Amino acid sequence: GVRACQPASAAMGDLEPDLDVAGLDAAFNGALHLEEKHLDEGWEDGLREGEKLGHLDGREVGFAKGFEVGQELGFYAGCHAVWVKCVKEDPECFSERARKGIASFGAMLETFPISDPLNEEILETLNGVRGKFKTIVALLGMHHEYNPQETKLSLTF
């Protein structure tokens, strides 16, 4: 009998009735903030993975856009080469104004920053080339603009 009347703390051994509150708080805080910790870790993992995928996607889009710009410039360079050949064979085949336009168009093509893809003015320069092309085409009495669908070759291998 005597043991049955003792307080629970005395029956379990000499546990102090004042528990270590700071230790319990720390344990519960760790458990309570577990979800937040996992969210933060997930965010960091997602950010790293997103940056990796963004670089891959950016590379693919950049490659495709670079190809399109190169294709368009190739078209313009081909037109310029034909016009220059016409002028060499018959200097009077085009008006003086058209010949000057063709010469300045060639200079624009030669100075185009094709080997500097990080040049921030590349699209502005390309718009200038497009405008000059349209001017020359109008001076020559032609009505044409660059259309990549028309320039595709039907080659098979």
Side-chain angles (χ1 to χ4, degrees), residues 23-156:
L24 280 176
D25 280 349
F28 280 113
N29 279 341
L32 292 174
H33 295 295
L34 189 62
E35 181 179 9
E36 189 175 308
K37 180 181 172 191
H38 285 294
L39 283 172
D40 289 344
E41 288 174 2
W43 176 269
E44 293 298 321
D45 290 347
L47 188 62
R48 277 192 301 275
E49 195 63 29
E51 284 176 348
K52 230 187 290 181
L53 291 174
H55 284 290
L56 290 173
D57 287 348
R59 183 182 196 96
E60 288 177 20
V61 169
F63 183 80
K65 290 297 178 186
F67 181 82
E68 288 174 13
V69 168
Q71 183 181 22
E72 185 173 354
L73 283 174
F75 171 79
Y76 295 143
C79 291
H80 179 259
V82 169
W83 296 332
V84 167
K85 185 163 176 81
C86 288
V87 170
K88 279 185 182 176
E89 289 183 11
D90 179 10
E92 299 301 315
C93 68
F94 301 132
S95 70
E96 178 67 24
R97 188 170 174 209
R99 289 193 304 266
K100 284 182 181 179
I102 291 168
S104 67
F105 184 63
M108 288 178 86
L109 291 173
E110 285 179 20
T111 60
F112 191 88
I114 193 81
S115 61
D116 184 12
L118 299 178
N119 187 326
E120 294 180 9
E121 298 173 2
I122 202 163
L123 291 178
E124 197 173 303
T125 306
L126 182 58
N127 284 334
V129 169
R130 288 174 179 150
K132 182 60 91 172
F133 176 79
K134 287 179 182 179
T135 301
I136 294 169
V137 166
L139 287 171
L140 297 178
M142 301 163 64
H143 298 286
H144 188 75
E145 55 186 57
Y146 173 71
N147 182 352
Q149 306 314 327
E150 292 177 6
T151 60
K152 288 187 178 175
L153 298 175
S154 55
L155 298 176
T156 57

